[in-house]
Amino acid sequence: DSLALLQRDIGFGHIRGHGLLSDGVGVHQPYEYQGVRRVRHSFTYVDQVVDAYLDLGIRPFVELGFMPAKLASGDQTVFWWQGNVTPPRDHGEWAALVRATVSHLVDRYGLDEVRGWPIEVWNEPNLTQFWADADQDAYHRLYEVTAHVVKEVDASLQVGGPALAPGYEDEWMLRFADFTAARSVPVDFISRHAYTSGPAQHVPFGVHQTLRPASDLLAQFAAPRRQLAGTALADLPVHI
């Protein structure tokens, strides 16, 4: 009801949410049969969520994350619902999970529709809260595996990243550009986040944050173009 009210009054084109592949959604279902590990993929809850979005005229902005606990290499989590933020212990099994998820979306909603859904690899890997040790090399490996799998499903699907939080050094974006160019990794769009809130101030029973000047927000919007000038990613769409 809340989303319907917002959509009526504002009219969003896309919606992005966390936890598509987390345990609570139930996509990744490993089991053992005759001594061999196997994985079943279930999309019941995914379909309910996406159907609700589309019924309201909103397309998904697909964030691929977080890590299913039984595929994760560690136990670090974020949020009360414990989204795991560690790399996969088996990149092949992660690739199979991504392939099954993207293929299911195409089969259920049609390729023409899903072509309009940006598919983003992870969330804010430059923060230790969202990616173990903020390990950029580990993120690059995850991105490479994921992007190739998305394109194997269909070359016309949009895949991108690196979904950075504000405060990252220019080098983070430049290294991503250099890595993807050197290894011919697909990138259809660049993504980063922009926040209007100032530093957190702890107060009794909560946290207080002030709003930054509008000029700060505009500088965040402009940053990717400046950082990527002269690279192979310079002219790509930027999603913020």
Side-chain angles (χ1 to χ4, degrees), residues 1-15:
D1 292 345
S2 298
L3 183 57
L5 178 64
L6 289 172
Q7 184 65 355
R8 185 197 71 191
D9 291 346
I10 298 176
F12 292 104
H14 289 80
I15 186 170

PDB file of all heavy atoms in Angstrom, residues 1-15:
ATOM      1  N   ASP A   1       0.815  -1.202   0.000  1.00  0.00           N
ATOM      2  CA  ASP A   1       0.000   0.000   0.000  1.00  0.00           C
ATOM      3  C   ASP A   1       0.860   1.269   0.000  1.00  0.00           C
ATOM      4  O   ASP A   1       0.539   2.251  -0.660  1.00  0.00           O
ATOM      5  CB  ASP A   1      -0.930   0.010   1.211  1.00  0.00           C
ATOM      6  CG  ASP A   1      -2.007  -1.073   1.115  1.00  0.00           C
ATOM      7  OD1 ASP A   1      -2.202  -1.615   0.010  1.00  0.00           O
ATOM      8  OD2 ASP A   1      -2.629  -1.372   2.145  1.00  0.00           O
ATOM      9  N   SER A   2       1.948   1.229   0.763  1.00  0.00           N
ATOM     10  CA  SER A   2       2.827   2.395   0.828  1.00  0.00           C
ATOM     11  C   SER A   2       3.476   2.662  -0.524  1.00  0.00           C
ATOM     12  O   SER A   2       3.551   3.814  -0.974  1.00  0.00           O
ATOM     13  CB  SER A   2       3.908   2.192   1.898  1.00  0.00           C
ATOM     14  OG  SER A   2       3.336   2.060   3.183  1.00  0.00           O
ATOM     15  N   LEU A   3       3.939   1.594  -1.174  1.00  0.00           N
ATOM     16  CA  LEU A   3       4.568   1.762  -2.477  1.00  0.00           C
ATOM     17  C   LEU A   3       3.555   2.249  -3.506  1.00  0.00           C
ATOM     18  O   LEU A   3       3.869   3.094  -4.350  1.00  0.00           O
ATOM     19  CB  LEU A   3       5.202   0.446  -2.940  1.00  0.00           C
ATOM     20  CG  LEU A   3       5.960   0.488  -4.265  1.00  0.00           C
ATOM     21  CD1 LEU A   3       7.080   1.528  -4.229  1.00  0.00           C
ATOM     22  CD2 LEU A   3       6.527  -0.887  -4.606  1.00  0.00           C
ATOM     23  N   ALA A   4       2.335   1.746  -3.430  1.00  0.00           N
ATOM     24  CA  ALA A   4       1.289   2.192  -4.357  1.00  0.00           C
ATOM     25  C   ALA A   4       1.008   3.682  -4.180  1.00  0.00           C
ATOM     26  O   ALA A   4       0.802   4.418  -5.161  1.00  0.00           O
ATOM     27  CB  ALA A   4       0.014   1.383  -4.136  1.00  0.00           C
ATOM     28  N   LEU A   5       1.028   4.141  -2.923  1.00  0.00           N
ATOM     29  CA  LEU A   5       0.804   5.565  -2.654  1.00  0.00           C
ATOM     30  C   LEU A   5       1.931   6.409  -3.234  1.00  0.00           C
ATOM     31  O   LEU A   5       1.691   7.432  -3.889  1.00  0.00           O
ATOM     32  CB  LEU A   5       0.697   5.797  -1.145  1.00  0.00           C
ATOM     33  CG  LEU A   5       0.517   7.243  -0.683  1.00  0.00           C
ATOM     34  CD1 LEU A   5      -0.805   7.808  -1.193  1.00  0.00           C
ATOM     35  CD2 LEU A   5       0.575   7.330   0.845  1.00  0.00           C
ATOM     36  N   LEU A   6       3.160   5.973  -3.026  1.00  0.00           N
ATOM     37  CA  LEU A   6       4.300   6.707  -3.573  1.00  0.00           C
ATOM     38  C   LEU A   6       4.272   6.714  -5.100  1.00  0.00           C
ATOM     39  O   LEU A   6       4.550   7.735  -5.730  1.00  0.00           O
ATOM     40  CB  LEU A   6       5.606   6.086  -3.085  1.00  0.00           C
ATOM     41  CG  LEU A   6       5.951   6.293  -1.614  1.00  0.00           C
ATOM     42  CD1 LEU A   6       7.168   5.462  -1.232  1.00  0.00           C
ATOM     43  CD2 LEU A   6       6.223   7.769  -1.321  1.00  0.00           C
ATOM     44  N   GLN A   7       3.918   5.580  -5.667  1.00  0.00           N
ATOM     45  CA  GLN A   7       3.884   5.510  -7.122  1.00  0.00           C
ATOM     46  C   GLN A   7       2.794   6.414  -7.690  1.00  0.00           C
ATOM     47  O   GLN A   7       2.976   7.050  -8.733  1.00  0.00           O
ATOM     48  CB  GLN A   7       3.674   4.056  -7.568  1.00  0.00           C
ATOM     49  CG  GLN A   7       3.715   3.837  -9.061  1.00  0.00           C
ATOM     50  CD  GLN A   7       5.085   4.123  -9.671  1.00  0.00           C
ATOM     51  OE1 GLN A   7       5.995   4.584  -8.996  1.00  0.00           O
ATOM     52  NE2 GLN A   7       5.227   3.862 -10.963  1.00  0.00           N
ATOM     53  N   ARG A   8       1.678   6.490  -7.007  1.00  0.00           N
ATOM     54  CA  ARG A   8       0.594   7.364  -7.455  1.00  0.00           C
ATOM     55  C   ARG A   8       1.012   8.826  -7.419  1.00  0.00           C
ATOM     56  O   ARG A   8       0.723   9.596  -8.349  1.00  0.00           O
ATOM     57  CB  ARG A   8      -0.634   7.158  -6.554  1.00  0.00           C
ATOM     58  CG  ARG A   8      -1.871   7.937  -6.989  1.00  0.00           C
ATOM     59  CD  ARG A   8      -2.878   8.033  -5.862  1.00  0.00           C
ATOM     60  NE  ARG A   8      -2.407   8.935  -4.800  1.00  0.00           N
ATOM     61  CZ  ARG A   8      -2.992   9.045  -3.611  1.00  0.00           C
ATOM     62  NH1 ARG A   8      -4.030   8.281  -3.302  1.00  0.00           N
ATOM     63  NH2 ARG A   8      -2.517   9.886  -2.715  1.00  0.00           N
ATOM     64  N   ASP A   9       1.725   9.226  -6.361  1.00  0.00           N
ATOM     65  CA  ASP A   9       2.049  10.639  -6.176  1.00  0.00           C
ATOM     66  C   ASP A   9       3.351  11.063  -6.859  1.00  0.00           C
ATOM     67  O   ASP A   9       3.528  12.238  -7.175  1.00  0.00           O
ATOM     68  CB  ASP A   9       2.147  10.957  -4.678  1.00  0.00           C
ATOM     69  CG  ASP A   9       0.791  10.875  -3.986  1.00  0.00           C
ATOM     70  OD1 ASP A   9      -0.240  10.843  -4.699  1.00  0.00           O
ATOM     71  OD2 ASP A   9       0.766  10.826  -2.743  1.00  0.00           O
ATOM     72  N   ILE A  10       4.275  10.109  -7.055  1.00  0.00           N
ATOM     73  CA  ILE A  10       5.580  10.453  -7.623  1.00  0.00           C
ATOM     74  C   ILE A  10       5.762   9.828  -9.000  1.00  0.00           C
ATOM     75  O   ILE A  10       6.128  10.503  -9.950  1.00  0.00           O
ATOM     76  CB  ILE A  10       6.719  10.024  -6.674  1.00  0.00           C
ATOM     77  CG1 ILE A  10       6.596  10.773  -5.344  1.00  0.00           C
ATOM     78  CG2 ILE A  10       8.080  10.278  -7.319  1.00  0.00           C
ATOM     79  CD1 ILE A  10       7.617  10.348  -4.298  1.00  0.00           C
ATOM     80  N   GLY A  11       5.543   8.533  -9.104  1.00  0.00           N
ATOM     81  CA  GLY A  11       5.680   7.846 -10.378  1.00  0.00           C
ATOM     82  C   GLY A  11       7.110   7.467 -10.707  1.00  0.00           C
ATOM     83  O   GLY A  11       7.753   8.078 -11.559  1.00  0.00           O
ATOM     84  N   PHE A  12       7.624   6.459 -10.011  1.00  0.00           N
ATOM     85  CA  PHE A  12       8.985   5.993 -10.249  1.00  0.00           C
ATOM     86  C   PHE A  12       9.055   5.158 -11.521  1.00  0.00           C
ATOM     87  O   PHE A  12       8.110   4.447 -11.878  1.00  0.00           O
ATOM     88  CB  PHE A  12       9.479   5.139  -9.079  1.00  0.00           C
ATOM     89  CG  PHE A  12       9.676   5.923  -7.807  1.00  0.00           C
ATOM     90  CD1 PHE A  12       8.764   5.840  -6.767  1.00  0.00           C
ATOM     91  CD2 PHE A  12      10.784   6.737  -7.661  1.00  0.00           C
ATOM     92  CE1 PHE A  12       8.948   6.562  -5.590  1.00  0.00           C
ATOM     93  CE2 PHE A  12      10.981   7.460  -6.494  1.00  0.00           C
ATOM     94  CZ  PHE A  12      10.058   7.370  -5.461  1.00  0.00           C
ATOM     95  N   GLY A  13      10.209   5.198 -12.190  1.00  0.00           N
ATOM     96  CA  GLY A  13      10.435   4.345 -13.345  1.00  0.00           C
ATOM     97  C   GLY A  13      11.003   2.993 -12.956  1.00  0.00           C
ATOM     98  O   GLY A  13      10.643   1.959 -13.530  1.00  0.00           O
ATOM     99  N   HIS A  14      11.926   2.986 -11.978  1.00  0.00           N
ATOM    100  CA  HIS A  14      12.563   1.757 -11.523  1.00  0.00           C
ATOM    101  C   HIS A  14      12.633   1.750  -9.994  1.00  0.00           C
ATOM    102  O   HIS A  14      12.586   2.817  -9.361  1.00  0.00           O
ATOM    103  CB  HIS A  14      13.983   1.618 -12.079  1.00  0.00           C
ATOM    104  CG  HIS A  14      14.048   1.328 -13.540  1.00  0.00           C
ATOM    105  ND1 HIS A  14      13.901   2.317 -14.495  1.00  0.00           N
ATOM    106  CD2 HIS A  14      14.247   0.171 -14.218  1.00  0.00           C
ATOM    107  CE1 HIS A  14      14.001   1.781 -15.703  1.00  0.00           C
ATOM    108  NE2 HIS A  14      14.221   0.495 -15.567  1.00  0.00           N
ATOM    109  N   ILE A  15      12.792   0.561  -9.433  1.00  0.00           N
ATOM    110  CA  ILE A  15      12.971   0.413  -7.990  1.00  0.00           C
ATOM    111  C   ILE A  15      14.092  -0.581  -7.736  1.00  0.00           C
ATOM    112  O   ILE A  15      14.213  -1.599  -8.416  1.00  0.00           O
ATOM    113  CB  ILE A  15      11.666  -0.037  -7.303  1.00  0.00           C
ATOM    114  CG1 ILE A  15      11.830  -0.039  -5.787  1.00  0.00           C
ATOM    115  CG2 ILE A  15      11.209  -1.407  -7.820  1.00  0.00           C
ATOM    116  CD1 ILE A  15      10.507  -0.233  -5.046  1.00  0.00           C
TER     117      ILE A  15
END
